[in-house]
Amino acid sequence: MQPIRVAAQPTAERTLVLPVLPGAALSDTALPVTDEVRAEAAVLLTEATDAGAAGTVQVLARPLRTPRCLVLAGVGSGDETGWRAAGAAVSRAVTAETSITVAMPADASQEAVRGLAEGLWLAAYTFRVPGDDSVAAGPEVTIAVAEPDRYSAVLEAARVTVEATLFARDLTNMPSSIKGPEWLASEIRTAATGRPGVTVSVREPDQLASEGFGGILAVGGGSARGPRLVELAWQPPTARTHVVLVGKGITFDTGGISIKPVDGMKLMRKDMGGAAAIIAATLGAAALQLPVRVTALAPLAENMVSGSAFRPGDVVRHYGGMTSESTNSDAEGRLVLADALVYAVRRLAPDLLIDLATLTGANAVALGRRTAAVYSDSDALADALIAAAGEAGEQAWRMPLPADYIEYLGSDIADLLSYSDRGASSVTAALYLREFAGDMRDRWLHVDMSAPSWADAADGELAKGATGWGVRTLLRWLATL
């Protein structure tokens, strides 16, 4: 990550960024700006379209003068979202620069500085496979404010949040030739090492079998790389609330016997995006010293085609004894989540239970590419998480859990049918998972984040590829508990 600092009246010799409000209005800044620069900015704005809209930029080269480059960045209404968009746009507009100074308004809020920093860092992300060190650190950014000490805490919160988000992006982008369940479990263990208050344990296939994690074993049974269940915990001594986060961790999804077409399979390295998000958020909570106990459960498996793969029509016995008739082996994520949910309820006694999963393609059909679907019987829990998503710059929308769809989960040979071709598939998947929340169903929430977990092109603070969706939302939400 590129260095970003706050300072009072730094020297802006190379690139100076001035914020622009709607109506092409330049705000007063904490950093003195010459009349000459302001006059040039005013002329440049007269030629611009939608000047001041969040995320718009105009760049003026001044090679023989100081500063050498002037950037006008639209911040919209000036809220955190607008500043995040401005930061992302600036990051992409001046990639060749070595030094950038952003002149903040004299009355800049802490949220403005946090949004700007997050946008700058997130948009600058580039993934490289291990061993490729070709990515430069990026330009040094100085955020010019009147009172630097006032913003140090929010800048640190932004740094930790982005660092966690980029960790989730790295894990999700990693090719599945490298990223099997064992590798991913090892990466999580390494990331947790040396962090006070953080513990990690990994259940391997033999232990999963002896304890009855039938869903994880069924899905992972077709692969030569056996499944794992990672349990990562942050337990501060002052915690009053215990949250369990469960994340789908399918390191590659062929669809199993119900095999996917090529176009549906080529990006399936992203099918562990939920696990990446909940692991990264837990590590972020520890780094921020949030006073809430968090346990992350990541069931990891590779859904492959082989003679040992589970079949459509098989009955899977989950942890705790409930059974599922699986009529479609490409609906595998809910099977591993079911095991982890029951384990969480029976063994961990949480106050709140949240699961994140790249679960259904129907998520994108219903809500588009940028919005996650939220399901819960708790109005308060759903409202709080969706509000946190909005503040964090991620999008989520609450979906219904209609009672008349429950009959679609009926099976003649098991407790539940894991996949039904009737009803809305994202909804029936959520209803299925709810059955495993037991007596915590009124404190459970499910997020289907399949669509927003991946960006087909750079967009705002998102780089092409894995987005790390959910990390920012979870950290904002956990900070309120």
Side-chain angles (χ1 to χ4, degrees), residues 225-449:
R225 303 191 286 186
R228 301 289 190 275
L229 174 61
V230 176
E231 183 173 338
L232 175 72
W234 156 243
Q235 190 167 354
T238 58
R240 292 173 299 185
T241 303
H242 181 199
V243 177
V244 172
L245 305 174
V246 179
K248 176 185 172 184
I250 304 301
T251 58
F252 192 78
D253 183 18
T254 66
I257 298 297
S258 308
I259 195 164
K260 294 178 182 288
V262 172
D263 284 346
M265 198 187 302
K266 61 187 179 183
L267 288 180
M268 282 299 100
R269 67 181 183 275
K270 79 179 182 73
D271 212 18
M272 38 60 66
I278 59 110
I279 292 295
T282 303
L283 294 174
L288 292 170
Q289 294 288 295
L290 298 183
V292 55
R293 179 183 172 191
V294 185
T295 304
L297 297 175
L300 309 178
E302 188 174 48
N303 189 23
M304 298 293 283
V305 182
S306 75
S308 58
F310 76 113
R311 294 159 290 267
D314 281 2
V315 173
V316 175
R317 184 171 297 278
H318 294 280
Y319 183 90
M322 286 184 66
T323 57
S324 294
E325 178 189 356
S326 176
T327 57
N328 182 347
S329 66
D330 194 22
E332 82 300 328
R334 62 201 72 184
L335 298 179
V336 303
L337 291 171
D339 276 6
L341 289 169
V342 176
Y343 172 79
V345 173
R346 296 195 174 195
R347 296 284 296 276
L348 300 178
D351 297 301
L352 299 168
L353 179 62
I354 312 290
D355 74 79
L356 271 69
T358 53
L359 206 61
T360 71
N363 169 209
V365 175
L367 298 176
R369 301 298 306 172
R370 289 292 298 268
T371 305
V374 171
Y375 297 90
S376 181
D377 285 328
S378 169
D379 294 342
L381 183 54
D383 290 347
L385 194 92
I386 291 170
E391 292 177 3
E394 296 183 317
Q395 296 173 193
W397 190 264
R398 190 176 181 186
M399 299 286 280
L401 288 166
D404 54 339
Y405 280 17
I406 296 175
E407 65 180 83
Y408 300 154
L409 301 178
S411 168
D412 294 331
I413 58 174
D415 294 317
L416 294 167
L417 192 67
S418 67
Y419 174 83
S420 172
D421 57 7
R422 297 187 295 164
S425 60
S426 181
V427 176
T428 55
L431 287 167
Y432 170 82
L433 292 175
R434 189 179 67 175
E435 294 299 309
F436 294 89
D439 60 7
M440 285 204 61
R441 62 192 294 165
D442 62 336
R443 291 169 286 156
W444 158 86
L445 182 144
H446 162 62
V447 183
D448 189 339
M449 34 78 80

Side-chain angles (χ1 to χ4, degrees), residues 128-279:
R128 290 290 184 269
V129 294
D132 184 348
D133 298 322
S134 61
V135 179
E140 178 179 303
V141 179
T142 300
I143 302 174
V145 295
E147 302 175 59
D149 290 347
R150 180 171 171 246
Y151 303 97
S152 56
V154 292
L155 185 60
E156 175 62 9
R159 185 195 64 78
V160 171
T161 299
V162 171
E163 190 174 68
T165 302
L166 301 191
F167 179 57
R169 288 184 184 180
D170 279 345
L171 293 179
T172 308
N173 278 321
M174 189 65 65
S176 294
S177 55
I178 298 171
K179 182 179 59 187
E182 182 180 11
W183 179 92
L184 185 50
S186 177
E187 289 294 298
I188 296 168
R189 191 187 294 277
T190 298
T193 299
R195 295 177 183 256
V198 175
T199 59
V200 61
S201 63
V202 180
R203 286 175 168 81
E204 300 192 0
D206 287 349
Q207 188 176 0
L208 292 172
S210 66
E211 295 185 27
F213 288 92
I216 300 173
L217 290 166
V219 175
S223 174
R225 303 191 286 186
R228 301 289 190 275
L229 174 61
V230 176
E231 183 173 338
L232 175 72
W234 156 243
Q235 190 167 354
T238 58
R240 292 173 299 185
T241 303
H242 181 199
V243 177
V244 172
L245 305 174
V246 179
K248 176 185 172 184
I250 304 301
T251 58
F252 192 78
D253 183 18
T254 66
I257 298 297
S258 308
I259 195 164
K260 294 178 182 288
V262 172
D263 284 346
M265 198 187 302
K266 61 187 179 183
L267 288 180
M268 282 299 100
R269 67 181 183 275
K270 79 179 182 73
D271 212 18
M272 38 60 66
I278 59 110
I279 292 295

Side-chain angles (χ1 to χ4, degrees), residues 27-30 104-110 150-151:
S27 65
D28 293 330
T29 57
M104 297 297 290
D107 58 349
S109 67
Q110 293 177 326
R150 180 171 171 246
Y151 303 97

